[in-house]
Amino acid sequence: MSGNITFTMIKPDAVGNGYTGKILDLIISNGFKIRGMKFIHLSEAKAGEFYAVHSERPFYKDLVSFMTSGPIVAAILEKDNAVADFRTLIGATNPAEAAPGTIRNLYAKSIDANAVHGSDSDENAAIEASFFFSAFERF
Ligand code: IDP
Ligand code: MG
């Protein structure tokens, strides 16, 4: 059975471009409930740890540097089939390939500055949510 929680970040490009409200509105109007949310500026250590799975990839350094370039909004989202439905809502990693109406199609400019993060599995959603939120910060 698929889980009902996913984890997202509105990345520094989208926050900096003033899209936070529009993106949250899309998330909520597509049936996701916010179960935790915070506005934070990641340290290099924290961003590096979050993306450790990509540490061997050529874009890792740039990714960590981008994710620490400005504040982000991190959130836990709840919906039936949350992980897959949210990946559908955000669109392909490269906004040039993201389907019309998806968040990356609407609000992202490049494959590195691509507006939002979405967990890729139930297991990672649980790990990522716990990485950012304590039990007192999620409901
Ligand atoms: P995802 O965010 O769609 O799950 P991943 O492959 O998990 O994509 O990559 C994590 C993040 O790393 C992407 O969202 C993007 O910001 C960045 N990224 C992925 N591929 C590239 C690339 O080829 N060049 C630059 N940045 C990339
Ligand atoms: Mg990913």
Side-chain angles (χ1 to χ4, degrees):
M1 202 184 94
S2 55
N4 62 352
I5 290 292
T6 192
F7 171 78
T8 188
M9 293 182 283
I10 302 175
K11 296 185 178 183
D13 59 316
V15 172
N17 288 328
Y19 295 141
T20 300
K22 286 181 161 63
I23 291 172
L24 287 175
D25 192 39
L26 262 179
I27 290 172
I28 292 165
S29 63
N30 277 276
F32 294 87
K33 292 198 160 50
I34 292 169
R35 294 305 186 200
M37 187 160 70
K38 56 175 68 168
F39 184 49
I40 45 176
H41 195 146
L42 287 171
S43 66
E44 220 176 289
K46 197 89 171 153
E49 198 183 334
F50 183 84
Y51 283 113
V53 61
H54 296 308
S55 62
E56 300 306 320
R57 295 172 80 176
F59 57 81
Y60 175 70
K61 260 186 111 166
D62 288 343
L63 176 60
V64 170
S65 146
F66 164 63
M67 289 303 293
T68 57
S69 65
I72 61 152
V73 174
I76 300 173
L77 307 175
E78 183 184 332
K79 183 183 184 293
D80 287 348
N81 203 33
V83 167
D85 285 4
F86 193 68
R87 296 291 307 197
T88 301
L89 178 61
I90 68 179
T93 305
N94 185 351
E97 292 161 11
T102 59
I103 293 175
R104 283 167 168 167
N105 167 254
L106 291 168
Y107 300 119
K109 295 277 185 294
S110 65
I111 191 166
D112 46 322
N114 61 2
V116 279
H117 168 82
S119 305
D120 61 9
S121 66
D122 290 342
E123 188 192 1
N124 283 336
I127 292 169
E128 292 171 2
S130 304
F131 184 77
F132 274 89
F133 293 89
S134 75
F136 299 101
E137 297 170 322
R138 52 193 293 184
F139 313 98

